[in-house]
Amino acid sequence: MRPALKVSALSRSKTALGDMAEDHEITKVQELIYTTRVESVMAPDVIVISPSATMAEARALMREKHISGMPVVEGDRMVGIVSMSDVMESLEKGSLGRPVFEMMTRDVKTAFSDSYVAEVIGRLGPRGFGRIPVIDREGRLVGILTTGTLIQSLLREMDIRYKKKEEEKLQSYRASHIYDDIVSDDTSLVLRYIVDDKDFSNAGKASSGIKKSLQRLRVLPSIVRRVAVAVYEAEMNLVIHTDVGGEITVDIRRDRLLISAVDHGPGIENISEVLKPGYSTAPQWIRDMGFGAGMGLANIKRCSDSMRILSELGGGTRLDIIFLFRDHPVGGGPVGGKRA
Amino acid sequence: MKIGELAEILEAKILADHHDHDFEIPMGGAADLMSDVLAFGSEGMVLMTGLTNPQVVRTAEMAGISVIVFVRAKIPPPETLKLANDIGITLVTTGYTMYEACGRLYAAGLKGLGPVKIENGTW
Ligand SMILES: Nc1ncnc2c1ncn2[C@@H]1O[C@H](COP(=O)(O)OP(=O)(O)O)[C@@H](O)[C@H]1O
Ligand SMILES: [Mg+2]
């Protein structure tokens, strides 16, 4: 949960960076620091020292762990921070035997673990602090942020995002060429999805998978949208109006898409009635969730090139929806094969 | 209107952040009926709603909506947040009512769909 404050900070620093922002890579890093939270770039295992330890012990610990400072913690409360420069000062004063709490910095600037990196990055570095202890909203020390941990995690994050994007490109490339690679007079790709009944919070998974697959097949975005809306209404009908769930199959040919939603549920008594916009038998709890307005079948009809319902009371329902690709066959180029 | 401006105008808190704050939102809409969203939703638009169940996010995904504003300071349950994070939909919450949230954005220049006919609306 972030206050709007963050947004104005964002637009300010974006203008401040001015023409630098034109550089694509810089923009990517910027985006990353505004969307990555401190908790994912901090080092979670913090080396700490007790306030009653001596400065000599602090020096030994820093040497051993190759660090240049650490939070001073009493119980689960952070009471200060002690750094190499405090050790140097003790050396000069000959006070290495004194307890840490006499030499430490008490006024410690901390960062919240759920803050965005952008909010704290300015405080790190040569003109800021060497390290910023990270606390949760209850004030417990949960990690530490240094320039080193920050750069490492940002690089890792960029690498993951880059790989994801490349992978999506590759998947889309492979999928969209499947029709070229298969040798047949007419190829059709069939996707099958099982839809559970009454699993309300999971509903929509099939539609989501169908949308993604069509995008990878590089179906025209305007058609993908129409299909997504129609198939989602159909999927919700399986979830809401059947007690057994059902199956959605998507048959994709280069020139058209046929979607069938089939169930062995209660069936429909009067088909012309359920087609009327506003007619619904959905229970109240479904209406409270924003569904059951009786617009689903009307929506499906509006989105598709043709729609057909077959149903029998007690014998289940079959809904067939057809979309034509017309001038934009899947896989690009002219529709091949003998049936073109 | 940019997402950053929208958040400022609504004094909104960002709950799931998946767009550059310079991301341009072409228009706005408001509904508590998901079928209405599916019927009138348009690519990239912002949806104002009082519902917070996960199907709101699913509906947005299907309708191509990129930003959801929860009105009256509603905070969605964790399932909703998780789904939005999986799919990449930006969620914000504002203290304003549906009426005022819409009014503020409209007054600041964010347009709606204009008159819509449901009977035989072409896509
Ligand atoms: N698969 C199905 N099995 C049984 N009845 C169905 C099925 N699909 C739709 N119906 C009936 O058709 C009605 C209208 O459906 P729809 O237009 O999608 O509106 P809604 O889902 O909002 O009720 C439903 O209320 C229900 O009575
Ligand atoms: Mg329905």
Side-chain angles (χ1 to χ4, degrees), chain B residues 17-39:
Chain B
D17 196 352
H18 293 284
H19 289 86
D20 197 344
H21 294 220
D22 284 343
F23 181 86
E24 195 63 46
I25 302 166
M27 66 177 86
D32 281 348
L33 270 185
M34 292 304 113
S35 276
D36 277 358
V37 178
L38 292 166

mmCIF file with all atom_site columns, all heavy atoms in Angstrom, chain B residues 17-39:
data_model
loop_
_atom_site.group_PDB
_atom_site.id
_atom_site.type_symbol
_atom_site.label_atom_id
_atom_site.label_alt_id
_atom_site.label_comp_id
_atom_site.label_asym_id
_atom_site.label_entity_id
_atom_site.label_seq_id
_atom_site.pdbx_PDB_ins_code
_atom_site.Cartn_x
_atom_site.Cartn_y
_atom_site.Cartn_z
_atom_site.occupancy
_atom_site.B_iso_or_equiv
_atom_site.pdbx_formal_charge
_atom_site.auth_seq_id
_atom_site.auth_comp_id
_atom_site.auth_asym_id
_atom_site.auth_atom_id
_atom_site.pdbx_PDB_model_num
ATOM 1   N N   . ASP B 1 17 ? 1.398   -2.659  -8.541  1.00 0.00 ? 17 ASP B N   1
ATOM 2   C CA  . ASP B 1 17 ? 1.991   -1.666  -9.427  1.00 0.00 ? 17 ASP B CA  1
ATOM 3   C C   . ASP B 1 17 ? 2.596   -2.360  -10.643 1.00 0.00 ? 17 ASP B C   1
ATOM 4   O O   . ASP B 1 17 ? 3.665   -2.922  -10.552 1.00 0.00 ? 17 ASP B O   1
ATOM 5   C CB  . ASP B 1 17 ? 3.087   -0.943  -8.622  1.00 0.00 ? 17 ASP B CB  1
ATOM 6   C CG  . ASP B 1 17 ? 3.508   0.351   -9.262  1.00 0.00 ? 17 ASP B CG  1
ATOM 7   O OD1 . ASP B 1 17 ? 3.064   0.614   -10.395 1.00 0.00 ? 17 ASP B OD1 1
ATOM 8   O OD2 . ASP B 1 17 ? 4.280   1.099   -8.643  1.00 0.00 ? 17 ASP B OD2 1
ATOM 9   N N   . HIS B 1 18 ? 1.878   -2.363  -11.754 1.00 0.00 ? 18 HIS B N   1
ATOM 10  C CA  . HIS B 1 18 ? 2.375   -3.124  -12.907 1.00 0.00 ? 18 HIS B CA  1
ATOM 11  C C   . HIS B 1 18 ? 2.525   -2.304  -14.168 1.00 0.00 ? 18 HIS B C   1
ATOM 12  O O   . HIS B 1 18 ? 2.730   -2.848  -15.235 1.00 0.00 ? 18 HIS B O   1
ATOM 13  C CB  . HIS B 1 18 ? 1.467   -4.332  -13.175 1.00 0.00 ? 18 HIS B CB  1
ATOM 14  C CG  . HIS B 1 18 ? 1.536   -5.332  -12.078 1.00 0.00 ? 18 HIS B CG  1
ATOM 15  N ND1 . HIS B 1 18 ? 2.611   -6.182  -11.926 1.00 0.00 ? 18 HIS B ND1 1
ATOM 16  C CD2 . HIS B 1 18 ? 0.708   -5.590  -11.051 1.00 0.00 ? 18 HIS B CD2 1
ATOM 17  C CE1 . HIS B 1 18 ? 2.414   -6.928  -10.861 1.00 0.00 ? 18 HIS B CE1 1
ATOM 18  N NE2 . HIS B 1 18 ? 1.272   -6.587  -10.300 1.00 0.00 ? 18 HIS B NE2 1
ATOM 19  N N   . HIS B 1 19 ? 2.367   -0.992  -14.030 1.00 0.00 ? 19 HIS B N   1
ATOM 20  C CA  . HIS B 1 19 ? 2.530   -0.163  -15.227 1.00 0.00 ? 19 HIS B CA  1
ATOM 21  C C   . HIS B 1 19 ? 3.461   0.992   -14.909 1.00 0.00 ? 19 HIS B C   1
ATOM 22  O O   . HIS B 1 19 ? 3.518   1.458   -13.781 1.00 0.00 ? 19 HIS B O   1
ATOM 23  C CB  . HIS B 1 19 ? 1.173   0.373   -15.682 1.00 0.00 ? 19 HIS B CB  1
ATOM 24  C CG  . HIS B 1 19 ? 0.285   -0.683  -16.261 1.00 0.00 ? 19 HIS B CG  1
ATOM 25  N ND1 . HIS B 1 19 ? -0.529  -1.460  -15.481 1.00 0.00 ? 19 HIS B ND1 1
ATOM 26  C CD2 . HIS B 1 19 ? 0.124   -1.104  -17.535 1.00 0.00 ? 19 HIS B CD2 1
ATOM 27  C CE1 . HIS B 1 19 ? -1.172  -2.319  -16.256 1.00 0.00 ? 19 HIS B CE1 1
ATOM 28  N NE2 . HIS B 1 19 ? -0.793  -2.123  -17.503 1.00 0.00 ? 19 HIS B NE2 1
ATOM 29  N N   . ASP B 1 20 ? 4.150   1.424   -15.930 1.00 0.00 ? 20 ASP B N   1
ATOM 30  C CA  . ASP B 1 20 ? 4.940   2.620   -15.827 1.00 0.00 ? 20 ASP B CA  1
ATOM 31  C C   . ASP B 1 20 ? 3.967   3.752   -15.483 1.00 0.00 ? 20 ASP B C   1
ATOM 32  O O   . ASP B 1 20 ? 2.835   3.761   -15.969 1.00 0.00 ? 20 ASP B O   1
ATOM 33  C CB  . ASP B 1 20 ? 5.583   2.879   -17.205 1.00 0.00 ? 20 ASP B CB  1
ATOM 34  C CG  . ASP B 1 20 ? 6.724   3.843   -17.089 1.00 0.00 ? 20 ASP B CG  1
ATOM 35  O OD1 . ASP B 1 20 ? 6.814   4.514   -16.039 1.00 0.00 ? 20 ASP B OD1 1
ATOM 36  O OD2 . ASP B 1 20 ? 7.517   3.929   -18.029 1.00 0.00 ? 20 ASP B OD2 1
ATOM 37  N N   . HIS B 1 21 ? 4.379   4.674   -14.623 1.00 0.00 ? 21 HIS B N   1
ATOM 38  C CA  . HIS B 1 21 ? 3.438   5.714   -14.225 1.00 0.00 ? 21 HIS B CA  1
ATOM 39  C C   . HIS B 1 21 ? 3.181   6.728   -15.335 1.00 0.00 ? 21 HIS B C   1
ATOM 40  O O   . HIS B 1 21 ? 2.304   7.559   -15.238 1.00 0.00 ? 21 HIS B O   1
ATOM 41  C CB  . HIS B 1 21 ? 3.898   6.373   -12.924 1.00 0.00 ? 21 HIS B CB  1
ATOM 42  C CG  . HIS B 1 21 ? 3.857   5.403   -11.779 1.00 0.00 ? 21 HIS B CG  1
ATOM 43  N ND1 . HIS B 1 21 ? 3.450   5.732   -10.527 1.00 0.00 ? 21 HIS B ND1 1
ATOM 44  C CD2 . HIS B 1 21 ? 4.145   4.069   -11.739 1.00 0.00 ? 21 HIS B CD2 1
ATOM 45  C CE1 . HIS B 1 21 ? 3.494   4.661   -9.754  1.00 0.00 ? 21 HIS B CE1 1
ATOM 46  N NE2 . HIS B 1 21 ? 3.926   3.647   -10.466 1.00 0.00 ? 21 HIS B NE2 1
ATOM 47  N N   . ASP B 1 22 ? 3.913   6.609   -16.403 1.00 0.00 ? 22 ASP B N   1
ATOM 48  C CA  . ASP B 1 22 ? 3.654   7.411   -17.598 1.00 0.00 ? 22 ASP B CA  1
ATOM 49  C C   . ASP B 1 22 ? 2.683   6.720   -18.543 1.00 0.00 ? 22 ASP B C   1
ATOM 50  O O   . ASP B 1 22 ? 2.344   7.241   -19.590 1.00 0.00 ? 22 ASP B O   1
ATOM 51  C CB  . ASP B 1 22 ? 4.965   7.642   -18.371 1.00 0.00 ? 22 ASP B CB  1
ATOM 52  C CG  . ASP B 1 22 ? 5.811   8.686   -17.669 1.00 0.00 ? 22 ASP B CG  1
ATOM 53  O OD1 . ASP B 1 22 ? 5.245   9.420   -16.836 1.00 0.00 ? 22 ASP B OD1 1
ATOM 54  O OD2 . ASP B 1 22 ? 7.015   8.741   -17.948 1.00 0.00 ? 22 ASP B OD2 1
ATOM 55  N N   . PHE B 1 23 ? 2.268   5.523   -18.162 1.00 0.00 ? 23 PHE B N   1
ATOM 56  C CA  . PHE B 1 23 ? 1.343   4.739   -18.994 1.00 0.00 ? 23 PHE B CA  1
ATOM 57  C C   . PHE B 1 23 ? 0.068   5.545   -19.236 1.00 0.00 ? 23 PHE B C   1
ATOM 58  O O   . PHE B 1 23 ? -0.544  6.074   -18.321 1.00 0.00 ? 23 PHE B O   1
ATOM 59  C CB  . PHE B 1 23 ? 1.025   3.425   -18.286 1.00 0.00 ? 23 PHE B CB  1
ATOM 60  C CG  . PHE B 1 23 ? 0.096   2.507   -19.040 1.00 0.00 ? 23 PHE B CG  1
ATOM 61  C CD1 . PHE B 1 23 ? 0.590   1.614   -19.980 1.00 0.00 ? 23 PHE B CD1 1
ATOM 62  C CD2 . PHE B 1 23 ? -1.280  2.533   -18.793 1.00 0.00 ? 23 PHE B CD2 1
ATOM 63  C CE1 . PHE B 1 23 ? -0.261  0.763   -20.660 1.00 0.00 ? 23 PHE B CE1 1
ATOM 64  C CE2 . PHE B 1 23 ? -2.144  1.683   -19.481 1.00 0.00 ? 23 PHE B CE2 1
ATOM 65  C CZ  . PHE B 1 23 ? -1.631  0.795   -20.411 1.00 0.00 ? 23 PHE B CZ  1
ATOM 66  N N   . GLU B 1 24 ? -0.307  5.644   -20.497 1.00 0.00 ? 24 GLU B N   1
ATOM 67  C CA  . GLU B 1 24 ? -1.435  6.488   -20.896 1.00 0.00 ? 24 GLU B CA  1
ATOM 68  C C   . GLU B 1 24 ? -2.742  5.693   -20.848 1.00 0.00 ? 24 GLU B C   1
ATOM 69  O O   . GLU B 1 24 ? -2.850  4.643   -21.483 1.00 0.00 ? 24 GLU B O   1
ATOM 70  C CB  . GLU B 1 24 ? -1.155  7.000   -22.314 1.00 0.00 ? 24 GLU B CB  1
ATOM 71  C CG  . GLU B 1 24 ? -2.009  8.156   -22.775 1.00 0.00 ? 24 GLU B CG  1
ATOM 72  C CD  . GLU B 1 24 ? -1.840  9.433   -21.953 1.00 0.00 ? 24 GLU B CD  1
ATOM 73  O OE1 . GLU B 1 24 ? -0.681  9.820   -21.667 1.00 0.00 ? 24 GLU B OE1 1
ATOM 74  O OE2 . GLU B 1 24 ? -2.866  10.041  -21.606 1.00 0.00 ? 24 GLU B OE2 1
ATOM 75  N N   . ILE B 1 25 ? -3.718  6.193   -20.070 1.00 0.00 ? 25 ILE B N   1
ATOM 76  C CA  . ILE B 1 25 ? -5.025  5.529   -19.995 1.00 0.00 ? 25 ILE B CA  1
ATOM 77  C C   . ILE B 1 25 ? -5.973  6.248   -20.944 1.00 0.00 ? 25 ILE B C   1
ATOM 78  O O   . ILE B 1 25 ? -6.199  7.441   -20.803 1.00 0.00 ? 25 ILE B O   1
ATOM 79  C CB  . ILE B 1 25 ? -5.586  5.611   -18.561 1.00 0.00 ? 25 ILE B CB  1
ATOM 80  C CG1 . ILE B 1 25 ? -4.593  4.964   -17.601 1.00 0.00 ? 25 ILE B CG1 1
ATOM 81  C CG2 . ILE B 1 25 ? -6.934  4.928   -18.454 1.00 0.00 ? 25 ILE B CG2 1
ATOM 82  C CD1 . ILE B 1 25 ? -4.881  5.293   -16.166 1.00 0.00 ? 25 ILE B CD1 1
ATOM 83  N N   . PRO B 1 26 ? -6.539  5.535   -21.919 1.00 0.00 ? 26 PRO B N   1
ATOM 84  C CA  . PRO B 1 26 ? -7.348  6.208   -22.941 1.00 0.00 ? 26 PRO B CA  1
ATOM 85  C C   . PRO B 1 26 ? -8.715  6.649   -22.451 1.00 0.00 ? 26 PRO B C   1
ATOM 86  O O   . PRO B 1 26 ? -9.230  7.666   -22.888 1.00 0.00 ? 26 PRO B O   1
ATOM 87  C CB  . PRO B 1 26 ? -7.482  5.156   -24.048 1.00 0.00 ? 26 PRO B CB  1
ATOM 88  C CG  . PRO B 1 26 ? -7.290  3.843   -23.356 1.00 0.00 ? 26 PRO B CG  1
ATOM 89  C CD  . PRO B 1 26 ? -6.377  4.093   -22.187 1.00 0.00 ? 26 PRO B CD  1
ATOM 90  N N   . MET B 1 27 ? -9.330  5.867   -21.552 1.00 0.00 ? 27 MET B N   1
ATOM 91  C CA  . MET B 1 27 ? -10.656 6.271   -21.069 1.00 0.00 ? 27 MET B CA  1
ATOM 92  C C   . MET B 1 27 ? -11.009 5.562   -19.781 1.00 0.00 ? 27 MET B C   1
ATOM 93  O O   . MET B 1 27 ? -10.282 4.687   -19.322 1.00 0.00 ? 27 MET B O   1
ATOM 94  C CB  . MET B 1 27 ? -11.724 6.035   -22.134 1.00 0.00 ? 27 MET B CB  1
ATOM 95  C CG  . MET B 1 27 ? -11.972 4.597   -22.465 1.00 0.00 ? 27 MET B CG  1
ATOM 96  S SD  . MET B 1 27 ? -13.310 4.454   -23.649 1.00 0.00 ? 27 MET B SD  1
ATOM 97  C CE  . MET B 1 27 ? -12.425 4.665   -25.174 1.00 0.00 ? 27 MET B CE  1
ATOM 98  N N   . GLY B 1 28 ? -12.133 5.996   -19.202 1.00 0.00 ? 28 GLY B N   1
ATOM 99  C CA  . GLY B 1 28 ? -12.531 5.414   -17.930 1.00 0.00 ? 28 GLY B CA  1
ATOM 100 C C   . GLY B 1 28 ? -13.942 4.851   -17.974 1.00 0.00 ? 28 GLY B C   1
ATOM 101 O O   . GLY B 1 28 ? -14.720 5.171   -18.865 1.00 0.00 ? 28 GLY B O   1
ATOM 102 N N   . GLY B 1 29 ? -14.238 3.993   -17.022 1.00 0.00 ? 29 GLY B N   1
ATOM 103 C CA  . GLY B 1 29 ? -15.582 3.434   -16.911 1.00 0.00 ? 29 GLY B CA  1
ATOM 104 C C   . GLY B 1 29 ? -15.800 2.977   -15.481 1.00 0.00 ? 29 GLY B C   1
ATOM 105 O O   . GLY B 1 29 ? -14.835 2.815   -14.737 1.00 0.00 ? 29 GLY B O   1
ATOM 106 N N   . ALA B 1 30 ? -17.068 2.790   -15.100 1.00 0.00 ? 30 ALA B N   1
ATOM 107 C CA  . ALA B 1 30 ? -17.363 2.355   -13.749 1.00 0.00 ? 30 ALA B CA  1
ATOM 108 C C   . ALA B 1 30 ? -18.505 1.362   -13.776 1.00 0.00 ? 30 ALA B C   1
ATOM 109 O O   . ALA B 1 30 ? -19.457 1.544   -14.528 1.00 0.00 ? 30 ALA B O   1
ATOM 110 C CB  . ALA B 1 30 ? -17.743 3.549   -12.877 1.00 0.00 ? 30 ALA B CB  1
ATOM 111 N N   . ALA B 1 31 ? -18.390 0.300   -13.006 1.00 0.00 ? 31 ALA B N   1
ATOM 112 C CA  . ALA B 1 31 ? -19.468 -0.688  -12.957 1.00 0.00 ? 31 ALA B CA  1
ATOM 113 C C   . ALA B 1 31 ? -19.269 -1.629  -11.785 1.00 0.00 ? 31 ALA B C   1
ATOM 114 O O   . ALA B 1 31 ? -18.141 -1.901  -11.381 1.00 0.00 ? 31 ALA B O   1
ATOM 115 C CB  . ALA B 1 31 ? -19.505 -1.500  -14.249 1.00 0.00 ? 31 ALA B CB  1
ATOM 116 N N   . ASP B 1 32 ? -20.405 -2.101  -11.259 1.00 0.00 ? 32 ASP B N   1
ATOM 117 C CA  . ASP B 1 32 ? -20.359 -3.182  -10.284 1.00 0.00 ? 32 ASP B CA  1
ATOM 118 C C   . ASP B 1 32 ? -20.918 -4.457  -10.898 1.00 0.00 ? 32 ASP B C   1
ATOM 119 O O   . ASP B 1 32 ? -20.968 -5.490  -10.267 1.00 0.00 ? 32 ASP B O   1
ATOM 120 C CB  . ASP B 1 32 ? -21.165 -2.815  -9.031  1.00 0.00 ? 32 ASP B CB  1
ATOM 121 C CG  . ASP B 1 32 ? -20.366 -1.883  -8.118  1.00 0.00 ? 32 ASP B CG  1
ATOM 122 O OD1 . ASP B 1 32 ? -19.150 -1.736  -8.346  1.00 0.00 ? 32 ASP B OD1 1
ATOM 123 O OD2 . ASP B 1 32 ? -20.965 -1.301  -7.208  1.00 0.00 ? 32 ASP B OD2 1
ATOM 124 N N   . LEU B 1 33 ? -21.323 -4.348  -12.153 1.00 0.00 ? 33 LEU B N   1
ATOM 125 C CA  . LEU B 1 33 ? -21.825 -5.513  -12.869 1.00 0.00 ? 33 LEU B CA  1
ATOM 126 C C   . LEU B 1 33 ? -20.740 -5.971  -13.840 1.00 0.00 ? 33 LEU B C   1
ATOM 127 O O   . LEU B 1 33 ? -20.371 -5.242  -14.752 1.00 0.00 ? 33 LEU B O   1
ATOM 128 C CB  . LEU B 1 33 ? -23.057 -5.131  -13.682 1.00 0.00 ? 33 LEU B CB  1
ATOM 129 C CG  . LEU B 1 33 ? -24.406 -5.266  -12.998 1.00 0.00 ? 33 LEU B CG  1
ATOM 130 C CD1 . LEU B 1 33 ? -25.518 -4.957  -13.977 1.00 0.00 ? 33 LEU B CD1 1
ATOM 131 C CD2 . LEU B 1 33 ? -24.569 -6.661  -12.409 1.00 0.00 ? 33 LEU B CD2 1
ATOM 132 N N   . MET B 1 34 ? -20.248 -7.189  -13.627 1.00 0.00 ? 34 MET B N   1
ATOM 133 C CA  . MET B 1 34 ? -19.142 -7.632  -14.464 1.00 0.00 ? 34 MET B CA  1
ATOM 134 C C   . MET B 1 34 ? -19.544 -7.822  -15.930 1.00 0.00 ? 34 MET B C   1
ATOM 135 O O   . MET B 1 34 ? -18.739 -7.628  -16.827 1.00 0.00 ? 34 MET B O   1
ATOM 136 C CB  . MET B 1 34 ? -18.521 -8.904  -13.876 1.00 0.00 ? 34 MET B CB  1
ATOM 137 C CG  . MET B 1 34 ? -17.799 -8.650  -12.556 1.00 0.00 ? 34 MET B CG  1
ATOM 138 S SD  . MET B 1 34 ? -16.518 -7.369  -12.684 1.00 0.00 ? 34 MET B SD  1
ATOM 139 C CE  . MET B 1 34 ? -17.171 -6.072  -11.685 1.00 0.00 ? 34 MET B CE  1
ATOM 140 N N   . SER B 1 35 ? -20.794 -8.183  -16.162 1.00 0.00 ? 35 SER B N   1
ATOM 141 C CA  . SER B 1 35 ? -21.238 -8.312  -17.554 1.00 0.00 ? 35 SER B CA  1
ATOM 142 C C   . SER B 1 35 ? -21.220 -6.965  -18.276 1.00 0.00 ? 35 SER B C   1
ATOM 143 O O   . SER B 1 35 ? -20.974 -6.897  -19.474 1.00 0.00 ? 35 SER B O   1
ATOM 144 C CB  . SER B 1 35 ? -22.642 -8.914  -17.626 1.00 0.00 ? 35 SER B CB  1
ATOM 145 O OG  . SER B 1 35 ? -22.553 -10.312 -17.568 1.00 0.00 ? 35 SER B OG  1
ATOM 146 N N   . ASP B 1 36 ? -21.479 -5.906  -17.535 1.00 0.00 ? 36 ASP B N   1
ATOM 147 C CA  . ASP B 1 36 ? -21.384 -4.566  -18.127 1.00 0.00 ? 36 ASP B CA  1
ATOM 148 C C   . ASP B 1 36 ? -19.942 -4.264  -18.493 1.00 0.00 ? 36 ASP B C   1
ATOM 149 O O   . ASP B 1 36 ? -19.653 -3.716  -19.546 1.00 0.00 ? 36 ASP B O   1
ATOM 150 C CB  . ASP B 1 36 ? -21.873 -3.501  -17.135 1.00 0.00 ? 36 ASP B CB  1
ATOM 151 C CG  . ASP B 1 36 ? -23.390 -3.362  -17.167 1.00 0.00 ? 36 ASP B CG  1
ATOM 152 O OD1 . ASP B 1 36 ? -24.019 -4.060  -17.987 1.00 0.00 ? 36 ASP B OD1 1
ATOM 153 O OD2 . ASP B 1 36 ? -23.923 -2.561  -16.377 1.00 0.00 ? 36 ASP B OD2 1
ATOM 154 N N   . VAL B 1 37 ? -19.036 -4.642  -17.608 1.00 0.00 ? 37 VAL B N   1
ATOM 155 C CA  . VAL B 1 37 ? -17.624 -4.405  -17.891 1.00 0.00 ? 37 VAL B CA  1
ATOM 156 C C   . VAL B 1 37 ? -17.221 -5.160  -19.154 1.00 0.00 ? 37 VAL B C   1
ATOM 157 O O   . VAL B 1 37 ? -16.546 -4.625  -20.032 1.00 0.00 ? 37 VAL B O   1
ATOM 158 C CB  . VAL B 1 37 ? -16.747 -4.861  -16.709 1.00 0.00 ? 37 VAL B CB  1
ATOM 159 C CG1 . VAL B 1 37 ? -15.278 -4.657  -17.029 1.00 0.00 ? 37 VAL B CG1 1
ATOM 160 C CG2 . VAL B 1 37 ? -17.130 -4.118  -15.442 1.00 0.00 ? 37 VAL B CG2 1
ATOM 161 N N   . LEU B 1 38 ? -17.688 -6.404  -19.247 1.00 0.00 ? 38 LEU B N   1
ATOM 162 C CA  . LEU B 1 38 ? -17.347 -7.204  -20.421 1.00 0.00 ? 38 LEU B CA  1
ATOM 163 C C   . LEU B 1 38 ? -17.967 -6.616  -21.685 1.00 0.00 ? 38 LEU B C   1
ATOM 164 O O   . LEU B 1 38 ? -17.383 -6.665  -22.758 1.00 0.00 ? 38 LEU B O   1
ATOM 165 C CB  . LEU B 1 38 ? -17.797 -8.646  -20.230 1.00 0.00 ? 38 LEU B CB  1
ATOM 166 C CG  . LEU B 1 38 ? -17.018 -9.406  -19.157 1.00 0.00 ? 38 LEU B CG  1
ATOM 167 C CD1 . LEU B 1 38 ? -17.722 -10.705 -18.787 1.00 0.00 ? 38 LEU B CD1 1
ATOM 168 C CD2 . LEU B 1 38 ? -15.594 -9.684  -19.600 1.00 0.00 ? 38 LEU B CD2 1
ATOM 169 N N   . ALA B 1 39 ? -19.155 -6.040  -21.542 1.00 0.00 ? 39 ALA B N   1
ATOM 170 C CA  . ALA B 1 39 ? -19.814 -5.481  -22.710 1.00 0.00 ? 39 ALA B CA  1
ATOM 171 C C   . ALA B 1 39 ? -19.208 -4.145  -23.130 1.00 0.00 ? 39 ALA B C   1
ATOM 172 O O   . ALA B 1 39 ? -19.055 -3.868  -24.310 1.00 0.00 ? 39 ALA B O   1
ATOM 173 C CB  . ALA B 1 39 ? -21.300 -5.314  -22.431 1.00 0.00 ? 39 ALA B CB  1
#
